[in-house]
Structure formats: structure tokens, C-alpha cells
């Protein structure tokens, strides 16, 4: 079995975790080799999008052991997503144990230290069982699959071009704040259109007024202003990115920057010198330009990663691999 990352595509790994929910109880989770699931053709996940997922990574340390980054935060967000989808909540300890078991079982597929590749971890829950009418399922599957990955966009250090979307991924009081498949299905049209035009991804605007930056299709948005403040959109319809929370902490506590969650007007970007997309898959990807209604805005640092973005990238990836001390109990070390 080839165990190397191929960009951000699925490389089959030896084991995945699965647990079944029926009659109000979860079965004991097990590791298994096949990565297919047989479910009823009338499962709610298939017809009504009753599902939720998470995304986190395992990082090989210099000493050969493995780091998980902020896994408890993923467990908490997964509960919020499941609750919003009317699905049972997985207790934090079961979520974390499932992630640990799956990563350790696939140790050979955790890329080497210093390779710029990591093991992406995808926990998910789906509503299953025969259920034609619109109502929450009675049965669920919780599973964790993993795959080695390298960069999500063209490369983590080169600024990419993005374009705003005239359609929305989320509604003002909808499901934009939780990590559920429907948000991503709704974003695909704009993403494909953007990629066909040569852009790395699309930037969604706030669904109510279409005047403020909301987030990137697969990541949050941040900027570094001329006055050296870290700014990021404040909105109830974007995902509360764990990477973004980490960058805000680093910016404030380690780089002594002002940090603001605020409105970012798409027509007034001149005060931003450095822009970026941040997320588990995207890590910290600089954005060089944003095209909006035919006008291309070029940030000051559009050819190379700006100096503060570079520092944020260096520090977050250093903490994740264990090279920089963990400032806030974010790391779980798995001994191999
Ligand atoms: N926003 C969206 C829409 C995402 O899909 C992701 C990826 O998970 C993020 C933001 C970043 O979140 P996190 O940093 O928790 O991975
Ligand atoms: C992640 O960064 O974990 C995500 O879920 C983004 C996804 C679209 C690949």
C-alpha cells in the first residue's frame, strides 16, 4: 500500500474506526480494514443531508511520536454540529479515543517529520436506516477515516488568487456556523466556477447584504492591516475555525498584535497589507488578490507571503509538530 500524500486527495489507509447507534446506544467502536459502508437507500444522510463532520491533523514529531492538535476543540464543535442536525452527541472521551485509535493503527501512514505532509483525520456521523419521510433518523454511524495529505492549495507559501461569489453557502440564521455537508454542497457551484476561471477558491460574502467578507469555501479569512492588527470577520454564519482561534492567540499573546473580530467591507480592502485563508486543510495560505464584481484588488503582499503571515505560519506549524512549546494545552502526544 502506497503511504505517501498526494496533495489533498484520499490515499487509502489500512484502518478506519466505526461505531453504530441504535435504540439510543452506541456500539463499542472497532477498527476495520474495508473503507466502504453499506446503508439503506433511504438513509437521511443521502436524501436530507443529515450528517456532520470534523477535520483535524496528526503531526509527526522530531522524536518520532505523533501530535494531535486541539482534538478536544474538534470534539466540542462536532457535538454542536450533531446537535444542530438532530443527531446524537458523541461524548468527548469517545471522540478523542476514536481519533487516537485510528491514528495509532495507521502509524505507518503518518508522514515523516519535516516532510510538509501530515495525516488528515476526518471523523463524521451520518443518519442511516430506512426513513422515507423528513424526520431525524433512528440509526446513526460514527466513523473516523484518515489519509496522508500535503498542501490543500497550490502550495502553502505562495499567495493565491480568489474571487467573490454571488451565491451564498449559508443563510443568516442557517447552518453556516456548524460543520455539516449541506454547507459544502451549497458551496460547490461557486467553487467550480472560481476554479474554471483560474482562481484557487471562492470568497463568500455575508448572505444578508453581500458587502462584507464572510469566509473562504474551505477556510476562514484573515488580514493584517497597515497598523499591524490581525483582523478576521465576525459573523454568525461562518465556521468558528480552530486554526483561526489559534492564530488570534498567537497574534495577541506571542506577536503582541491587536486582534479584532470585525466587519471587513469587500469594497474597502486598502488598509489590509497581508491577507490569508486559514484552516486545518489550508493551514495558513496567503491570498494575493481578490476579484470582486470585475475589479481585482491586489494586496501589498501579493507576490510572496507577508512578514506577519510568515511568522504566524512558522509559529502555528512549530507548535503543531512540537518544535515550539505548546502555550495552551493544545497538544496530545501519542507515543508510538
Ligand atoms: N471554514 C470552513 C468553511 C472550513 O471548511 C474550514 C475547515 O475546517 C474552516 C473554516 C477552518 O476550520 P478549522 O481551522 O477548524 O479547520
Ligand atoms: C478542513 O480544513 O478540515 C476542512 O474540512 C476543509 C475541507 C473542505 C477540506
Amino acid at each position: 500500500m502506497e503511504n505517501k500524500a498526494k496533495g489533498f486527495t484520499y490515499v487509502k489507509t489500512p484502518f478506519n474506526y466505526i461505531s453504530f447507534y441504535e435504540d439510543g446506544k452506541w456500539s463499542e467502536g472497532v477498527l476495520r480494514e474495508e473503507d466502504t459502508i453499506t446503508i439503506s437507500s433511504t438513509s437521511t444522510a443521502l436524501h436530507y443531508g443529515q450528517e456532520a463532520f470534523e477535520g483535524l491533523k496528526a503531526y509527526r514529531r522530531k522524536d518520532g511520536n505523533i501530535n494531535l492538535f486541539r482534538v478536544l476543540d474538534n470534539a466540542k464543535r462536532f457535538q454542536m454540529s450533531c446537535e444542530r442536525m438532530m443527531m446524537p452527541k458523541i461524548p468527548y472521551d469517545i471522540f478523542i479515543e476514536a481519533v487516537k485509535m485510528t491514528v495509532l493503527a495507521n502509524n505507518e501512514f503518518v508522514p515523516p517529520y519535516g516532510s510538509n505532509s501530515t495525516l488528515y483525520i476526518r471523523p463524521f456521523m451520518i443518519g442511516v436506516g430506512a426513513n422515507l419521510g423528513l424526520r431525524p433518523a433512528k440509526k446513526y454511524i460514527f466513523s473516523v477515516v484518515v489519509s496522508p495529505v500535503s498542501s490543500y492549495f497550490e502550495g502553502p507559501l505562495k499567495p493565491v488568487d480568489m474571487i467573490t461569489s454571488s451565491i451564498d453557502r449559508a443563510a443568516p440564521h442557517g447552518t453556516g456556523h456548524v460543520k455539516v455537508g449541506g454547507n459544502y454542497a451549497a458551496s460547490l457551484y461557486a467553487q467550480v466556477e472560481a476554479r474554471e476561471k483560474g482562481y484557487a477558491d471562492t470568497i463568500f460574502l455575508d448572505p444578508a447584504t453581500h458587502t462584507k467578507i464572510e469566509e473562504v469555501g474551505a477556510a476562514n479569512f484573515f488580514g493584517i492591516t497597515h497598523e499591524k492588527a490581525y483582523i478576521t470577520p465576525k459573523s454568525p454564519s461562518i465556521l468558528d475555525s480552530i486554526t483561526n482561534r489559534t492564530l488570534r492567540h498567537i497574534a495577541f499573546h506571542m506577536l503582541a498584535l491587536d486582534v479584532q473580530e470585525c466587519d471587513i467591507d469587500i469594497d474597502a480592502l486598502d488598509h489590509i497589507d497581508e491577507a490569508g485563508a486559514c484552516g486545518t486543510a489550508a493551514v495558513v495560505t496567503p491570498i494575493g488578490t481578490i476579484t470582486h464584481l470585475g475589479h481585482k484588488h491586489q494586496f501589498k503582499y501579493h507576490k510572496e507571503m507577508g512578514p506577519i503571515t510568515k511568522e504566524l505560519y512558522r509559529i502555528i506549524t512549530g507548535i503543531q509538530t512540537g518544535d515550539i512549546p505548546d502555550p495552551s494545552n493544545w497538544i496530545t502526544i501519542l507515543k508510538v
Side-chain angles (χ1 to χ4, degrees):
M1 222 184 259
E2 179 66 70
N3 69 352
K4 292 206 170 51
K6 297 191 183 99
F8 201 88
T9 58
Y10 176 55
V11 171
K12 185 177 177 338
T13 45
F15 296 103
N16 64 82
Y17 174 101
I18 196 156
S19 172
F20 300 88
Y21 181 90
E22 199 173 343
D23 297 330
K25 289 189 300 287
W26 286 103
S27 67
E28 189 168 343
V30 292
L31 292 170
R32 53 175 209 143
E33 291 181 32
E34 69 277 22
D35 61 350
T36 55
I37 295 174
T38 302
I39 56 173
S40 165
S41 303
T42 58
S43 293
T44 56
L46 297 179
H47 299 257
Y48 305 127
Q50 196 190 18
E51 83 91 48
F53 67 99
E54 267 305 324
L56 68 158
K57 282 174 172 173
Y59 307 81
R60 181 74 69 190
R61 298 166 58 91
K62 207 182 229 167
D63 64 12
N65 290 318
I66 298 169
N67 276 352
L68 296 178
F69 184 67
R70 301 192 70 161
V71 58
L72 177 60
D73 292 291
N74 290 97
K76 288 180 180 169
R77 193 172 63 187
F78 192 56
Q79 281 206 353
M80 275 178 49
S81 301
C82 290
E83 193 168 28
R84 180 66 179 80
M85 291 294 108
M86 292 304 293
M87 302 196 293
K89 293 192 282 186
I90 292 278
Y92 301 155
D93 55 337
I94 292 181
F95 181 97
I96 294 171
E97 193 49 37
V99 168
K100 285 183 179 174
M101 265 170 78
T102 318
V103 170
L104 283 170
N106 293 291
N107 174 37
E108 302 289 300
F109 284 67
V110 181
Y113 170 82
S115 64
N116 247 336
S117 298
T118 51
L119 189 78
Y120 185 76
I121 306 161
R122 173 56 64 82
F124 65 96
M125 190 187 294
I126 53 176
V128 296
N131 199 350
L132 194 57
L134 176 59
R135 65 179 75 88
K138 291 198 172 72
K139 297 181 188 177
Y140 295 89
I141 291 177
F142 170 57
S143 176
V144 182
V145 291
V146 297
S147 170
V149 296
S150 50
S151 40
Y152 186 75
F153 292 112
E154 291 160 39
L157 299 175
K158 193 172 155 285
V160 296
D161 299 313
M162 297 211 176
I163 184 168
T164 57
S165 166
S166 59
I167 62 166
D168 301 321
R169 66 181 274 286
H173 301 281
T175 56
H177 62 297
V178 285
K179 201 161 172 65
V180 300
N183 296 338
Y184 296 83
S187 77
L188 285 176
Y189 191 94
Q191 185 224 58
V192 170
E193 209 174 40
R195 293 214 170 137
E196 279 172 0
K197 291 181 182 157
Y199 297 94
D201 208 341
T202 190
I203 291 191
F204 290 99
L205 301 176
D206 71 292
T209 70
H210 273 223
T211 58
K212 297 174 274 187
I213 291 183
E214 187 98 333
E215 67 177 326
V216 178
N220 271 184
F221 177 88
F222 72 91
I224 307 296
T225 66
H226 199 53
E227 291 75 33
K228 311 246 175 301
Y230 178 102
I231 60 169
T232 191
K234 185 168 183 61
S235 161
S237 49
I238 61 176
L239 192 70
D240 179 8
S241 154
I242 294 164
T243 313
N244 195 349
R245 278 188 234 161
T246 308
L247 295 180
R248 295 203 295 272
H249 180 104
I250 294 171
F252 187 75
H253 293 283
M254 300 170 84
L255 300 178
L257 302 181
D258 184 21
V259 171
Q260 293 163 21
E261 287 175 82
C262 54
D263 288 345
I264 301 183
D265 184 343
I266 187 64
D267 288 317
L269 298 174
D270 285 344
H271 64 303
I272 301 177
D273 286 352
E274 306 176 35
C278 64
T280 299
V283 193
V284 174
T285 301
I287 299 173
T289 67
I290 297 178
T291 298
H292 175 57
L293 300 179
H295 168 77
K296 184 179 208 160
H297 179 87
Q298 204 167 63
F299 292 102
K300 180 174 171 197
Y301 289 93
H302 61 275
K303 286 217 172 88
E304 51 169 22
M305 206 180 213
I308 293 176
T309 309
K310 217 179 259 178
E311 265 307 272
L312 290 168
Y313 178 84
R314 184 186 70 78
I315 296 171
I316 192 170
T317 54
I319 295 168
Q320 286 165 336
T321 54
D323 290 344
I324 294 178
D326 172 7
S328 196
N329 255 327
W330 290 330
I331 297 293
T332 305
I333 302 180
L334 305 183
K335 300 239 192 258
V336 298

